[in-house]
Amino acid sequence: MEYLLHILILIGIYVILAESLNLIVGYTGLLSIAHAAFYGIGAYVVALMALKLGSPFVINIICAIIISGLLGGLVGVPSLRIKDHYFIIATFAFQVIAFSILNNWVSFTGGPMGLPGIPQPVIFGWQVSSHLEFLLLVGAFAILVFWLCHRIIKSPFGRVLMAIREDEVFALAAGKNVALYKVAVFVIGSGMAAIAGALYAHYISSIEPISFTVMESIFIISIVIIGGAGSLWGPVVGAVLLVMLPEILRFVGMPSSIAANMRQILYGGLLVAFMMWRPQGLVGKYGFRLEDTKK
Amino acid sequence: MSSWLKIDNLNKHFDGVKALVDFSCSLDKGEILGLIGPNGAGKTTLFNVLTGFIAADSGSVVFCDVYLHKKPAHRIANLGVARTFQDLRLIKQISVLENVLLSFRKQPGENLANTFFRAGRCRKVEAENKDAAYSILGKAGLAEKTNSLASDLSYGQQKLLSLVCCLVSDADLLLLDEPVAGIAPAMIEQILSIITDLPKQGKSVIIIEHNLEAVRQVCNRVVFMDAGEKICEGTPQEVHNDPRVIEAYLD
């Protein structure tokens, strides 16, 4: 039973990550491979505050969202000047820098050993300790993030994002401040990723930089693209599928040493296959291709 | 009285190619100006400079007493300048209706804080815009296509839609880049009749068009340009009979 709850909690965390990345990649057409960095920043801010300051969870998570959101805005800024592949490299650089800091600033972040012993969160007197309670917490946040994304996408703001994805020149000619929208969507997406990080830190209770590498970023991108970039339900479908996939490998009796490699091969293979034959993902309508955004 | 739109001595060079050379021109409210000239004459460059997509090397543009040069494209658009593109830009992955809705200026719902904290007002404006969009799409004969993707429209309908997008923007100055090129005669008539009506709504238009018959039909005044320079200017008839124009078109 705990095993099942564990899987569901992970799905919830990845739904948050994928929905938030979907705003940036799927709806605005900016391919970012820095999402794991914001996930990690959220986790580390919450862990450090809980361990060093002992401040309450609600305050910590708000700080994590704000810090990650501001850094996200910083990553959004280069998107105003550089495009396509060059922008992807810029986000890649941010991802590498963030990981290096987490990994090397030993006195502050604990270095490669990470931060162990993160206490269980207490929310207005409710101590979240059992798997079921964590599932409720993660589920509530996942629903909140999904609802926020839904509202954003169905608003005139979301309509402008989709216009930017396809043709920035048209959006400019229609009087939309494209630069502002791009930075804003990065702030929002990064802030949401920090929520996932905060929940993960408290749930696992011990975080290490290795959880927030570029591999993790690519995993989140795979969820978005395989599920369906630019659709609301795509990231949910993708998260369920890609989180459960390695568990299926476990059940067919593959030894864990092979399963780990097998998983990487599967993710990579799936991503390539989807980009080639079904760029709109499982449930999406919009075919994710860089060429669409270029013109 | 100073002109409503005043273009003064614009210059623009692209690596030695002269796209605009001391180009000056003015436009009054309610006027329809035709801009003709051979390919590469700098007509579209002029539009790009007017709308802020390209910065001129020198010269100035004053629209309703506001200097336009050095202003970013989206701000110029919000000052009341709308344009269409020669290569027909529309957002093809969203519906015809959404393309029109996108073109309304200054929507409260485009500010996310309003979406969440002043949802009532956003919904009200959105509903009003939708009504306006339905009505104008109806008039343009696109009512049946309201919910189709913009990519499902025929070429002529897409041109019509991009004109509709300009109309709902409530801009006072419309810059139309080849509005009737490459479309069926019946639709040309429809588009020209929409354009002819614009001065009655207090709007001014500059049209780039190779179809001289269409230009003669709708324009009060025509400017002929070649190699970035204004060669001559006058009524459609005068320009049409100018030997330099005849020479350029016979080449």
Side-chain angles (χ1 to χ4, degrees):
Chain A
M1 187 61 192
E2 288 212 334
Y3 168 73
L4 185 67
L5 292 174
H6 171 73
I7 300 296
L8 289 174
I9 289 168
L10 284 185
I11 288 175
I13 287 172
Y14 281 106
V15 164
I16 297 175
L17 288 169
E19 283 291 348
S20 54
L21 184 64
N22 190 29
L23 288 179
I24 300 170
V25 173
Y27 285 104
T28 321
L30 298 166
L31 187 53
S32 160
I33 38 180
H35 217 58
F38 301 112
Y39 178 36
I41 288 162
Y44 270 82
V45 169
V46 166
L48 283 167
M49 287 182 76
L51 289 169
K52 301 210 167 164
L53 305 176
S55 45
F57 174 75
V58 176
I59 299 208
N60 297 351
I61 197 167
I62 291 171
C63 286
I65 293 169
I66 292 172
I67 291 172
S68 179
L70 290 178
L71 289 168
L74 208 65
V75 173
V77 170
S79 76
L80 313 179
R81 294 189 153 262
I82 51 181
K83 302 231 178 302
D84 304 326
H85 307 86
Y86 301 101
F87 176 68
I88 298 173
I89 291 170
T91 63
F92 180 63
F94 181 84
Q95 168 69 50
V96 171
I97 291 167
F99 173 77
S100 301
I101 292 174
L102 296 181
N103 204 36
N104 294 309
W105 194 357
V106 178
S107 61
F108 189 58
T109 65
M113 300 298 291
L115 296 168
I118 302 162
Q120 287 166 342
V122 180
I123 303 162
F124 302 120
W126 172 42
Q127 175 151 18
V128 184
S129 47
S130 72
H131 274 72
L132 188 61
E133 284 170 316
F134 265 107
L135 180 61
L136 288 176
L137 181 67
V138 171
F141 272 107
I143 291 169
L144 174 71
V145 165
F146 184 87
W147 178 77
L148 285 173
C149 289
H150 172 80
R151 281 296 296 271
I152 291 170
I153 287 318
K154 300 294 175 197
S155 74
F157 180 91
R159 196 158 56 212
V160 177
L161 294 185
M162 286 181 256
I164 292 172
R165 171 179 77 191
E166 211 180 303
D167 192 343
E168 280 183 31
V169 172
F170 181 89
L172 281 171
K176 315 304 176 198
N177 187 347
V178 169
L180 192 67
Y181 282 92
K182 283 183 173 178
V183 173
V185 81
F186 257 96
V187 170
I188 297 163
S190 313
M192 286 177 174
I195 297 176
L199 295 170
Y200 177 80
H202 278 293
Y203 172 59
I204 301 291
S205 84
S206 164
I207 51 173
E208 299 158 15
I210 198 80
S211 307
F212 310 109
T213 60
V214 68
M215 289 306 298
E216 186 69 10
S217 279
I218 291 172
F219 179 62
I220 304 168
I221 291 172
S222 311
I223 293 178
V224 173
I225 289 177
I226 291 171
S231 77
L232 268 171
W233 284 100
V236 178
V237 172
V240 171
L241 187 77
L242 287 201
V243 171
M244 294 202 3
L245 199 64
E247 307 304 323
I248 296 167
L249 292 182
R250 195 197 306 256
F251 279 113
V252 298
M254 195 175 281
S256 60
S257 57
I258 300 174
N261 297 330
M262 197 60 209
R263 210 163 67 194
Q264 304 292 346
I265 294 171
L266 256 178
Y267 292 153
L270 273 176
L271 191 56
V272 170
F274 268 85
M275 290 302 272
M276 286 179 75
W277 293 298
R278 203 175 159 80
Q280 72 272 43
L282 286 171
V283 297
K285 271 186 280 185
Y286 166 67
F288 183 81
R289 284 193 198 88
L290 269 181
E291 290 77 56
D292 289 343
T293 59
K294 232 187 280 177
K295 282 249 165 85
Chain B
M1 197 193 101
S2 69
S3 297
W4 187 66
L5 171 73
K6 193 155 178 53
I7 301 165
D8 252 333
N9 290 311
L10 282 183
N11 279 288
K12 179 68 199 178
H13 296 216
F14 296 108
D15 297 329
V17 177
K18 292 172 182 172
L20 288 173
V21 182
D22 286 329
F23 188 90
S24 300
C25 187
S26 65
L27 186 72
D28 280 325
K29 209 168 165 58
E31 204 178 2
I32 301 181
L33 177 71
L35 199 55
I36 60 171
N39 288 325
K43 306 182 297 292
T44 298
T45 303
L46 178 66
F47 273 17
N48 284 335
V49 168
L50 292 180
T51 50
F53 283 97
I54 292 177
D57 299 334
S58 65
S60 73
V61 180
V62 184
F63 172 64
C64 291
D65 298 323
V66 182
Y67 277 93
L68 292 191
H69 64 283
K70 299 254 165 72
K71 282 199 170 41
H74 69 93
R75 286 198 48 203
I76 292 176
N78 285 324
L79 285 169
V81 182
R83 71 174 291 184
T84 64
F85 294 87
Q86 198 177 341
D87 51 351
L88 234 176
R89 285 170 184 274
L90 285 170
I91 307 300
K92 304 213 170 101
Q93 306 257 6
I94 61 177
S95 72
V96 168
L97 177 65
E98 284 173 308
N99 269 282
V100 179
L101 288 174
L102 192 64
S103 303
F104 286 91
R105 304 286 198 261
K106 295 176 185 132
Q107 302 177 41
E110 287 176 354
N111 180 332
L112 261 195
N114 287 340
T115 303
F116 287 103
F117 301 114
R118 299 174 69 194
R121 183 170 151 66
C122 291
R123 265 199 298 272
K124 185 167 167 281
V125 174
E126 181 83 350
E128 288 168 5
N129 288 353
K130 246 181 208 164
D131 286 343
Y134 280 127
S135 131
I136 197 161
L137 282 170
K139 276 183 211 157
L142 290 170
E144 284 168 24
K145 299 283 183 181
T146 307
N147 292 315
S148 318
L149 289 181
S151 56
D152 292 342
L153 296 185
S154 73
Y155 185 71
Q157 286 172 324
Q158 290 189 8
K159 287 227 155 173
L160 192 55
L161 177 58
S162 62
L163 181 59
V164 165
C165 287
C166 278
L167 297 181
V168 299
S169 72
D170 212 24
D172 293 319
L173 174 62
L174 278 73
L175 307 177
L176 308 177
D177 202 340
E178 301 195 4
V180 297
I183 59 179
M187 196 148 254
I188 291 182
E189 285 310 313
Q190 193 190 355
I191 288 180
L192 291 182
S193 78
I194 292 175
I195 295 173
T196 321
D197 268 349
L198 291 173
K200 291 175 201 152
Q201 304 158 33
K203 296 176 195 287
S204 308
V205 188
I206 303 181
I207 300 177
I208 294 175
E209 188 52 66
H210 288 293
N211 182 335
L212 295 181
E213 188 44 49
V215 169
R216 201 173 5 218
Q217 220 175 325
V218 298
C219 297
N220 314 106
R221 195 153 56 91
V222 174
V223 165
F224 174 77
M225 66 189 292
D226 193 6
E229 282 181 87
K230 180 159 90 178
I231 306 292
C232 67
E233 181 177 359
T235 63
Q237 202 54 49
E238 282 165 14
V239 172
H240 203 66
N241 294 334
D242 191 292
R244 289 164 297 186
V245 177
I246 295 168
E247 186 189 0
Y249 270 95
L250 285 178
D251 272 349

